[in-house]
Amino acid sequence: MKSVAQNPTHEVDQAVPVLLELGPQGVAVLLAVAVLVLTAKSKAFRKAEWTALRWACRATWRLLVALVRLAVAVVFGRQTLTASKEERRLLARLQPGHWREHAEHRGLEGTLTSRPRLTDAGITVAVRLTGKWTVKKLQEHEESVRALLGCRTVLRLEIRPGKRGGWAELTLRTRSAVDEADMRWTPSRKGIGLDTHTGKPVAIPVGRLLLAGSSGAGKSVTLRPFLADLCADERSAVVMVDLKRVEGALWKTRARVARTPDEVTAAANELQTEMMDRLEALESTGRASWTPTVDRPRLVVVVDEGAEVSAVAKDAMPALESVARMGRAAEIHLVWCTQKPTMSGTSAGIPPQIAAQMDVRLCLKVATATEVRTVLGEDATAEGWDAHRLPKPGVLLVRGTGRGPAPVRVWFMDDDTTRSLPPAPVWHGPTRDDDAQLPPLLVKEEAPAPRTDAAARVLRLVQDDGPARQKDIAERAGLPKGTVSKAVARLIAAGHLARLDDGTLAAAE
């Protein structure tokens, strides 16, 4: 026997008396309520459906982006970055939810972060600025940002204008793009070092350069790759002023080195005389700039410690200042180095007449923001050129080449490598004598060969490996092509090498 709940006819029979009791109005109300309930359920269902669809679309998009990034990493050989413990903590505190919750308590109400990203050069995040906030004001509240994030005092924090108005870009330099790079210098290395943000080589132009840094920051090592390139160029010559007699000793076989006040004054006067002679030649021929040659090359004057020269070689200063002002057209350039970045006092590290002429400025670690502004300009710290926060040694900022304030890690070139560089002709010019006629050409004297002579290396390679082309010899020896070319010329002239009909070089019988 079937139960009542299972008999539909019985349910209908029971419902009829109820409907009759409600009457037409009651039935209408009941139907309206039913329609409302069904409609409400339909809207809720549609809302849930759209929510699920949006979630599915977002999940699909994130999965697709992740797959594309993975494909790029595989194709280009890039490894996925793994956040350190410190970076994971900072990434969590930069999330919009955490920032919104704590910004008001740190005086940062009206700012909000986007999602932070971990890159080869650290953590970067866009910050939205509303109301009274500007990029400059956020920079002034750097300590509040540090307090919100709980980051280390020594951690480099940068706040820059964003890619669109009303936004700033905040970067935490938790890592460098050159952390794992081999920074030992070789002849194949380009420039003075690598950009720590991009990992690309950074070159500095030949011209009027100012280099400053506190003691131990690495001034001498910074210039070595630059000077090595110059000495390998037969149309360039280096004159070094080194009253400390330390760095100059490594370059005496390839540069003119002045080590005493008298030698500095003599070299400065020769440079000024040569400069005036070149300028007169330009005027007479109607040319605007000097063309370097082997006999009258581009001259680069390196003052290793400017404060010492200003103090004990004062007689040389007028000529050096003249070279700084007028030497560019004559291809005579001044590189002024100092560990005392001041422009006042009896022995200023950067005399005002010199400072005003410097086109490119390089700054290693210095002690204070005031010294940064002296070297890099009055607006330096406001624009993010915070050289007083750099690590040392061997990391610097370069201003005047169109670069931003991205630190450069310089190549490391030790004393033995510097000492073993091939010799180069040493420049000597005319002494200053207003009553004497200047010679038509300058005299260049060959320096004595160092222990590791380029010519000996070239000859040994040819003797051991047999006939070879000159470019192949340069690659095997690890020497600049210009250096090998000069070594080959000397060996042929001395009868040690012979050039065969096919152009290869062979040891003479």
Side-chain angles (χ1 to χ4, degrees), residues 4 18 33 82 89 96 98 111 150 160 165-166 186 188 200 217 239 257 262 294 309 329 338 358 406 458 461 473 489:
V4 174
V18 175
V33 171
T82 302
R89 179 174 54 80
H98 185 279
T111 65
R160 303 278 185 272
T186 64
S188 62
K200 296 181 179 180
V239 178
V257 181
D262 289 342
V294 174
V309 174
T338 184
M358 297 293 103
V458 169
L461 278 171
I473 295 173

Side-chain angles (χ1 to χ4, degrees), residues 138-158:
L138 187 60
Q139 291 171 341
E140 294 171 354
H141 284 71
E142 179 183 325
E143 292 305 317
S144 297
V145 174
R146 287 182 176 276
L148 191 156
L149 299 176
C151 59
R152 294 176 288 119
T153 304
V154 296
L155 180 63
R156 185 177 175 86
L157 186 151
E158 301 170 1

Side-chain angles (χ1 to χ4, degrees), residues 1-238:
M1 184 175 180
K2 296 183 178 179
S3 65
V4 174
Q6 293 176 332
N7 191 341
T9 305
H10 180 72
E11 292 180 357
V12 172
D13 292 342
Q14 287 185 331
V16 170
V18 175
L19 294 176
L20 292 174
E21 290 180 4
L22 290 175
Q25 293 180 344
V27 172
V29 171
L30 182 61
L31 289 174
V33 171
V35 171
L36 288 174
V37 171
L38 291 174
T39 304
K41 288 184 177 180
S42 179
K43 287 182 177 178
F45 178 77
R46 288 199 299 269
K47 183 177 180 181
E49 185 180 39
W50 278 109
T51 301
L53 182 61
R54 285 197 298 270
W55 181 89
C57 289
R58 289 175 182 173
T60 303
W61 173 253
R62 289 173 182 171
L63 179 61
L64 180 61
V65 170
L67 290 174
V68 170
R69 289 177 176 174
L70 180 61
V72 171
V74 172
V75 171
F76 293 98
R78 297 182 59 184
Q79 296 182 351
T80 303
L81 297 177
T82 302
S84 65
K85 182 178 179 181
E86 179 189 30
E87 288 171 335
R88 289 196 299 271
R89 179 174 54 80
L90 291 171
L91 286 167
R93 295 187 177 188
L94 283 168
Q95 293 295 332
H98 185 279
W99 187 281
R100 185 188 298 108
E101 181 180 352
H102 295 85
E104 182 178 357
H105 302 295
R106 296 297 181 181
L108 297 170
E109 185 179 9
T111 65
L112 182 64
T113 58
S114 62
R115 292 188 179 277
R117 295 183 300 109
L118 180 62
T119 69
D120 289 334
I123 300 173
T124 182
V125 64
V127 182
R128 189 179 68 190
L129 306 175
T130 61
K132 62 183 180 179
W133 287 100
T134 62
V135 175
K136 183 176 181 181
K137 188 169 182 179
L138 187 60
Q139 291 171 341
E140 294 171 354
H141 284 71
E142 179 183 325
E143 292 305 317
S144 297
V145 174
R146 287 182 176 276
L148 191 156
L149 299 176
C151 59
R152 294 176 288 119
T153 304
V154 296
L155 180 63
R156 185 177 175 86
L157 186 151
E158 301 170 1
I159 300 173
R160 303 278 185 272
K163 296 179 180 179
R164 48 181 173 164
W167 289 80
E169 186 174 87
L170 188 154
T171 303
L172 299 167
R173 299 298 177 189
T174 55
R175 58 178 64 197
S176 165
V178 297
D179 282 340
E180 305 300 325
D182 180 4
M183 297 306 297
R184 291 173 296 179
W185 180 86
T186 64
S188 62
R189 301 290 196 189
K190 303 297 181 183
I192 62 168
L194 299 178
D195 187 307
T196 58
H197 293 184
T198 65
K200 296 181 179 180
V202 176
I204 54 176
V206 178
R208 297 175 292 192
L209 307 178
L210 173 62
L211 172 61
S214 58
S215 178
K219 293 186 299 300
S220 298
V221 174
T222 296
L223 283 180
R224 287 177 181 176
F226 176 69
L227 297 180
D229 288 342
L230 287 173
C231 292
D233 180 4
E234 62 182 3
R235 290 180 174 80
S236 297
V238 175

Side-chain angles (χ1 to χ4, degrees), residues 176-427:
S176 165
V178 297
D179 282 340
E180 305 300 325
D182 180 4
M183 297 306 297
R184 291 173 296 179
W185 180 86
T186 64
S188 62
R189 301 290 196 189
K190 303 297 181 183
I192 62 168
L194 299 178
D195 187 307
T196 58
H197 293 184
T198 65
K200 296 181 179 180
V202 176
I204 54 176
V206 178
R208 297 175 292 192
L209 307 178
L210 173 62
L211 172 61
S214 58
S215 178
K219 293 186 299 300
S220 298
V221 174
T222 296
L223 283 180
R224 287 177 181 176
F226 176 69
L227 297 180
D229 288 342
L230 287 173
C231 292
D233 180 4
E234 62 182 3
R235 290 180 174 80
S236 297
V238 175
V239 178
M240 182 175 288
V241 175
D242 181 25
L243 293 173
K244 295 185 296 184
R245 302 191 179 194
V246 177
E247 184 68 14
L250 302 175
W251 296 92
K252 61 184 180 181
T253 62
R254 58 195 62 85
R256 165 84 174 274
V257 181
R259 302 166 298 166
T260 67
D262 289 342
E263 290 178 357
V264 173
T265 301
N269 287 336
E270 291 177 37
L271 289 163
Q272 186 181 32
T273 302
E274 170 66 5
M275 178 185 71
M276 297 308 300
D277 184 46
R278 292 186 182 190
L279 293 177
E280 291 175 6
L282 291 175
E283 181 183 20
S284 64
T285 58
R287 291 179 293 159
S289 60
W290 186 262
T291 301
T293 64
V294 174
D295 294 315
R296 302 188 78 170
R298 172 193 296 112
L299 299 175
V300 178
V301 187
V302 180
V303 177
D304 187 66
E305 180 44 63
E308 192 69 13
V309 174
S310 299
V312 303
K314 296 180 180 179
D315 291 342
M317 289 305 300
L320 291 175
E321 291 173 350
S322 179
V323 168
R325 289 193 300 270
M326 301 189 297
R328 181 169 59 180
E331 284 289 352
I332 302 178
H333 307 285
L334 181 65
V335 178
W336 190 270
C337 308
T338 184
Q339 64 182 23
K340 185 181 177 183
T342 61
M343 289 197 297
S344 59
T346 55
S347 58
I350 314 172
Q353 288 286 335
I354 300 292
Q357 306 302 324
M358 297 293 103
D359 300 322
V360 178
R361 295 162 181 257
L362 294 79
C363 194
L364 292 146
K365 168 78 172 180
V366 291
T368 66
T370 300
E371 293 181 342
V372 175
R373 291 190 288 271
T374 300
V375 179
L376 298 177
E378 287 299 324
D379 63 340
T381 52
E383 296 293 330
W385 299 84
D386 301 326
H388 57 300
R389 295 178 178 173
L390 291 174
K392 70 174 185 180
V395 179
L396 56 77
L397 301 179
V398 181
R399 193 170 196 185
T401 63
R403 287 176 47 79
V408 178
R409 188 176 174 190
V410 301
W411 301 120
F412 177 67
M413 188 173 176
D414 61 22
D415 294 354
D416 291 337
T417 302
T418 306
R419 199 179 292 114
S420 66
L421 290 172
V426 176
W427 178 86

